[in-house]
Amino acid sequence: MIETVFRADGVSAADRFDLWREHMVKSLCPMDMSSDHTADFRADMRLLQLGSVSVWPTTVQPVRFRRTVRLIRRSDPELYHLSLPLQGTNGIAHVDLETIHGPYDMHMVDSSRPFDIHVLTSPAPVRMVGLEVPKALLPLPPRAVDRLLARRLPAREGVGALLAGFLTLLVQDTASYGPADGPRLERVLVDLLSAVLAHHVDADDTLSPDTQRRILTLRIHAFIQQHLHDPGLAPSAIAAAHQISLSYLHRLFRTDGITVSAWVRRQRLERARRDLADPALRNLSAQRIAARWGFTHYPHFSHAFRTTYGLPPRDYRRQGEVTAPGPPGP
């Protein structure tokens, strides 16, 4: 994964907006840009390149982006651009629609069509995550995607929350990914975006069987993460929640070389390990932490923890207390 960082603070206030505009045009596509804050403009952007897909978390003062027919004729990368606003409000004029989107109202535009996007005046900077995907990578018919341009795609529920959660987690922890992860992350993002769009056009049957299986696996992973505390989180309950057979659930996990129960146990152990290492949870006993993550039999938890991490839970916690830095000196 290639990451490029841009901050406008490194140049004089008079040059910041022009530098930002030049950077956006080079990184994305030709656009006319304007702002009421050119005299004291501030912006912070990172561009993450994942194969042919790009993700760019941005914090910027209110600004306006216009893509005209003239600019499209000059250069068109033939991309779909999805915006995930985290703070602030966007107004969009695109494909004969005028819409307004607030935080977690995802929306998409087509680089081959004129658009006018303006960040509505706000006392605070605007924070958003952008996702650029080549049209050729999406398995949905263009006419189906056209129906969703500029429209609200909720990011707080359903498959939209999966895409938004993946994007926000990705931009928060880029240091843990290596160069070989780029193509894998590209595939996950394309699958999730395809699932969001297919959901809203009722076109799930247009996705390839392989894409549908990967999307279902991601949904199941998210479901398990949300219910790790439930002692009744058994494979049969997971299969029933997703309206699939138990044998099909096992086949999905077998592709990754692990059983369903082993995957659940690994996630629970990792949550318990984090809690044991957290000084703020020192008042909770190891047994309570185990129960907190769905382990009803402490000896079984202790044995599994020692097998995985090399120490019993209480010893692991004591070791963390010994090696933790002490309070700063005077």
Side-chain angles (χ1 to χ4, degrees), residues 44-64:
D44 187 338
M45 172 182 169
R46 291 182 291 133
L47 180 63
L48 314 178
Q49 199 66 47
L50 312 169
S52 55
V53 169
S54 59
V55 177
W56 45 285
T58 303
T59 301
V60 64
Q61 287 181 291
V63 67
R64 184 175 185 177

Side-chain angles (χ1 to χ4, degrees), residues 117-295:
I117 303 175
H118 55 284
V119 175
L120 303 183
T121 303
S122 169
V126 174
R127 293 194 303 115
M128 67 182 75
V129 180
L131 170 63
E132 305 263 350
V133 176
K135 296 180 186 179
L137 291 185
L138 286 185
L140 283 82
R143 283 183 297 178
V145 179
D146 287 349
R147 293 161 49 190
L148 301 176
L149 295 176
R151 299 182 184 276
R152 175 176 175 267
L153 306 172
R156 295 187 185 276
E157 57 193 20
V159 70
L162 282 179
L163 174 58
F166 188 87
L167 283 171
T168 52
L169 180 62
L170 175 67
V171 301
Q172 288 171 6
D173 187 26
T174 57
S176 63
Y177 301 108
D181 293 317
R184 302 186 190 105
L185 295 171
E186 175 194 67
R187 188 180 70 175
V188 173
L189 283 170
V190 171
D191 283 346
L192 284 174
L193 177 59
S194 300
V196 170
L197 301 179
H199 170 76
H200 286 283
V201 297
D202 293 325
D204 286 289
D205 57 339
T206 66
L207 299 176
S208 71
D210 189 46
T211 295
Q212 292 185 49
R213 281 193 296 272
R214 291 199 298 267
I215 291 168
L216 177 58
T217 302
L218 288 168
R219 287 174 176 166
I220 292 170
H221 284 179
F223 176 85
I224 292 173
Q225 301 279 8
Q226 293 168 2
H227 295 83
L228 289 174
H229 62 279
D230 182 2
L233 186 66
S236 57
I238 297 169
H242 293 84
Q243 298 180 336
I244 60 176
S245 69
L246 184 59
S247 60
Y248 185 60
L249 175 68
H250 286 304
R251 285 203 303 273
L252 289 174
F253 278 76
R254 198 177 300 132
T255 303
D256 294 328
I258 192 171
T259 67
V260 183
S261 298
W263 200 88
V264 172
R265 184 170 60 252
R266 179 190 296 173
Q267 302 305 310
R268 283 174 165 165
L269 285 170
E270 179 58 20
R271 296 305 188 285
R273 184 195 66 79
R274 293 180 188 178
D275 283 359
L276 288 167
D278 188 348
L281 300 178
R282 204 169 290 155
N283 292 333
L284 287 181
S285 67
Q287 189 165 354
R288 285 189 61 188
I289 287 175
R292 185 181 192 185
W293 293 111
F295 291 99

Side-chain angles (χ1 to χ4, degrees), residues 95-116:
V95 291
D96 298 324
L97 286 177
E98 293 189 12
T99 54
I100 294 178
H101 303 282
Y104 286 86
D105 289 341
M106 295 188 297
H107 47 277
M108 195 167 72
V109 296
D110 180 350
S111 71
S112 304
R113 301 188 183 193
F115 58 73
D116 186 347

